[in-house]
Amino acid sequence: MMEMEEESFQQRVIETVKRCQQRQDGPLIWALEIGNCLNSGGEDEPSPELGRVLVSSLCFQNNHPSLWKFLDYALSSCLLCPFHLLSLLTAKLIPHRRSQPQAFRLYLELLNRHALSFSDVISDSCKHKIIESVDVSLKLSETYNVGVLELGHAFVLFIFTVLVRLIDSLFEDWGLLNPSAGVESVEHHTIMEIDSIGNEQVLEHMRMKNSLIALQVLNKLTESGKAVVLLRLVHFNMPEKFDGLLQRLRFLEANKLASSKLKSANQLLATLWANVQKVVGYDYQLNKRRLIGMLVDSKSLRPMSCCNSESGLSACWLPFDIYMENEMDGRQLPVRSAIVILSETINTLRRLNRASWQETFLALWLSALRLVQRERDPPEGPVPHLEARLCMLLSIVPLAIADILAEESKLQFSKGKGAATPGCMETGFGHGLDEQCLASVIEELISSLQVLESFTGLLCPPACVVGEANSAAVKAARFISTSKNIKDGLISNSFGDPFLSSGGNLRHLIVEACIARNLIDTSAYFWHGYVSASVIALSELSPVQKSPWTMFMEGAPLNGSLTALLFSSSASSLAEIEKLYHIALNGSVEEQSAAAKILCGASLTRGWNIQEHVVHFLVKLLSPPVPPGHTGLRSHLIDHMSMLSAILFEVSSIDTIHILSMHGVIPEVAASLMPLCEVFGSLTPTSSNKPSSGDGPSFYMVFSTAFLFLLRLWKFYRPPIEQTITDGAMGVELNLEYLLLLHNYSVASHYSASQNETNSNLDQQVSDKPIYLDHFPKLRAWYCQNKSCIASAPSGLSTGNPVHQVADKIISMIYSKMAKSGASSGNSSTPSTTSVGESPASTGEDVYQRPILPAWEVLEAIPFVLEAVLTACAYGRLSSRDLTTGLRNLVDFLPASLAAIISYFSAEVTRGIWKPVPMNGIDWPSPAANLPSIESEMKAILAAAGVNIQLHSSEKLPIVLPLPLAAFVSLTITFKLNKSLEYLHGVVGPALENCASGCPWPIIPIIGSLWAQKARGWHEFIVVSCSRTVFRRNNEAVAQLLRSCFTSFLGSLDDSHLLTSQSSVDNLLGCIVSARTVCPAMSIAPGFLYLRSCRTIHDVEHVSDLIVGLVAEYAREAAGRWESSDSHRLKSSRSSLSLASSKAREVGTLGACLLFHTGGLHLVQELYRDTIPTWLLSSRDGKAGKVSAAARIMEGYAMAYLLVLSGSLMWGVGAATKHSCTFSRRARIIRKHLEFLGRVLEGNISLGCHPATWKAYVSCLVGLIVSCAPAWVEEVQVETLKKLASGLKGWHECELALSLLERGGIESIGCVIEMLDLIN
């Protein structure tokens, strides 16, 4: 029945057309007649059936000019759907263009007039038919591998298909290459020739003319704003298809001079290429004639080249400085690689600052140089010093740049490879373009290194690296001499260079680090002024000393003198490190120990050019492979005991562990240490008579160093809730399970990558299989016991319990010496053991005998030992001195017992059940001698940082400590301050500070005073550490310090020059960490003090509210200065507006950095979910007083910038893997915030803020996301995007609304097409 109706309709249309032709009617009459046919047949307008009939039945059989005129009129009058009819004609005529040149000419004219005409005011039945017809005729689903379900989607693919097919037809017409597989052949159809047109010569002339007309039509289409939008949709949603179009145009560009047929079209081709390039290089910008557009798109007025050479940085790059300085906090060991974080930050800031690569790299170098200069004269103390800062400058930063270049190279290669089309790749043109893109980035890197020469103050090397800097300068001089054939000679290694004044500076070391990683080549040595002529002349006459590494590579044995030389000088090549690694694995016992020690020496701390390789091999050595043929129950790790012991002792220093953490190997180190702990903690000593003889002490010592090293990787002594609050920047509890999770993720990532890559230049740092805590039953048992000990006091044990018996033996051992000599003081020489067992004298064992027990069994019993001796001391049965001596004996016996002591004492202090004891110098050590000075210096530090709060003087308070804390601090001050005990101090220091900072005032200054008496060289460090603890629970102090941070960086709100004053990184973070003045730490900058304190602040939500309030306040004040500087109208001068917007961005930047580093993921999530929505819903009219419209706009802009930068620092601005945790969390948070904005725009939620603030916030937020973080838009639901676009359209921000929808993915294409009419 349907077929009969269709045939009847088709017959009526054909008859009507013939009748109109016979009468020679005009197009209007044709339209009326055809309209009657449609009405009689019940067809809707525009009619897809009519289009099909006209094209299939009439265009070639009745190819009359009047028919084409009617088609033109029908398209204009909506009788026909333009892109439907043109789709049918495209499929019909492009393959037959040579045999039907006249019809093709007329088709091009229709295409020129109607290709971009679109209307969705069509009935649903017609829409479905049109979509299906266009899909079938142009084979859209097959070509693009997508389901075409919307009219707008079909329209976008129609335009793109027409462009591609016309370009492919030009290829064939000009004889450049065969048509691609997706384009139909031309001559194999049976068609009706039109002989009436003329002879073949005329036809050929028309064909040639058609090619030029087709090119003109392509130009007209692509220069249209609508076409740019449509092509952007393809570019965003099907980049591989769009790259195919680019490859075609590149091919035309490359061959336009080679083909004589293309010469006449050169100008047209250039125009076409430029039009399409606009789509690729499109960088969304708001309408700059509107205030919001000027705000979002304005750049900083303070370029780095114009800045003071000592600060040399526009404030928009502040996140580099704050991240690097925060990374130097020795109490935190980041689990993520600083290389990865820094490379993400580089990309983020470059996008947000709309900067070139040269500006970005220069800002990065300057921030790292400031980091080094900040500690030219470092104070003593257990904190990372210059080695860690130089690691950041000379290893982490170059490796991050190498990551950037690798990503750029991979991105360009994937584009070229993914867009390969037949014939295009043969030219090599695309590959050349990729090389050009990468070369451009490298050129900008070189430019940034050359510009560094201007910053002489930052390039001055610290005294300890002057030799290395001079060696780098001499190396360049020798290279120049050699290249000029003035003298043949060796290039000296850094060792033993005789020049103490060769003009070397930190730039020479930076360039060497870049050359070592193939970022640049040795042509850098020839830069103007890089090496002075005097140094070149001096290098020709200088003797070259033989490096110890040369002797080592030539086969010299690792004797004492050579080992010392190799330890103190860094290796220069990977081959030297690899040889050391193999000796450490396969050499004799002495050679293994020496090689391991050398590897942990200068090559690790100063071998910046190969540091990543040294770190890699160190981690491998911690997990030595099982040798072939190894059998039996005895672990192969025992055979490497001397090597492992050497490594564990050498890497225990603060700087070394921090270097490992910056390279991101903490999870791998943890996974390597667990088997060591399990094996050596399970071994039974073979001798117990002398501490230094036999295997026993060695087992204990290897276990203790490995175990304490493992514990330093997370805060094992704190309750899980505290670990999450202060350490959980990633939003999870930082514990052993999390470290193993990260390690196993690395294993999985490596396995996945190995499936896609055939080779690798560097063996992976991860094992082949995932590791779980259940694989180590002894370690897991202690781990659970430690958690239980923190949660509750140890439960009592029955007398016959094995753990009870071990505890008895330990008590007997640690007090046996005193019992025999009677040397104890106080009212009892030994503790009562009623809670554990009998006295040592009744055990029947020799008083000097040490328990012959595995370390794990000793650790299991220690909490019960501690409970017994602490109870005995509390009841007067054990003197305080004997308690301290016994604890020290226990640590001497098994250093790992320090972990149990810390956990137990910290938990007991938290429980608060022990009476305080007087620190009077009789029973316990007294801090009275320097307690007043410590307190006064603390107040001076706080006052210098802008914090003035009331601290109760200890003069009016009793000097007492809880018994467990008194015992703990008394034990810690018995440890000597030498390198051999760094593995103990690294655990004790943070634990003692954490334990004391949770207690009421004045316990912190008491602890600080006791330690200052013990370690006089650490005085500055101790005073600053005590000052930090003030902010732990004091919200008023935190508020004052935050305000001081804003004032130091941005200027005072009372300053009339607030708008024009240059923001200062040095004022915020300090030029140096401290100055040795009357009060040593008076110069501690507020930002530095805040970064060292923010991780321990308990009420971080309050911090978030404070930061948001300060950002709003400073932004309003900046706008107030702007208005008063020019006029009271919004349209004041553009320069003052740029100053105001720059200041607002700087405000938002500082707020985002402080917020991110204070609370990490937790605070950023709260900012999106709660803090900013609450700020928008709250009314502030009464609090802020009279506020101008400009101030409200700046407030909204600064808050939008704060939000975007905070999220960018947390999640990055690039596309994330859809199955990754980052993607799901980012998508969820951003989606929720934008849904809130959409509901407000719909009127479902009432605002409390001013409408001008609201409009500025939403417009600027969307503008920043669209231009700087477009990947975020794809993660938002289309309905939310529609609501936002509708609200923006109501504010006449149509371009912004359109660009938002463009980024919404394939599902939002229909919404974009609906807004096409808004484009001029």
Side-chain angles (χ1 to χ4, degrees), residues 808-809 812 838-846:
D808 276 351
K809 291 181 180 180
S812 299
E838 300 175 0
S839 65
S842 64
T843 60
E845 292 188 43
D846 183 78

Side-chain angles (χ1 to χ4, degrees), residues 908-909 914-917 919 960-968 999-1000 1003:
E908 293 303 311
V909 170
W914 299 90
K915 292 182 179 180
V917 295
M919 309 301 289
V960 296
L961 292 179
L963 175 60
L965 186 55
F968 188 16
C999 298
I1003 285 182

Side-chain angles (χ1 to χ4, degrees), residues 980-1002:
S980 64
L981 293 181
E982 280 196 76
Y983 74 102
L984 295 180
H985 288 298
V987 180
V988 165
L992 180 61
E993 180 181 344
N994 176 79
C995 184
S997 61
C999 298
W1001 189 268

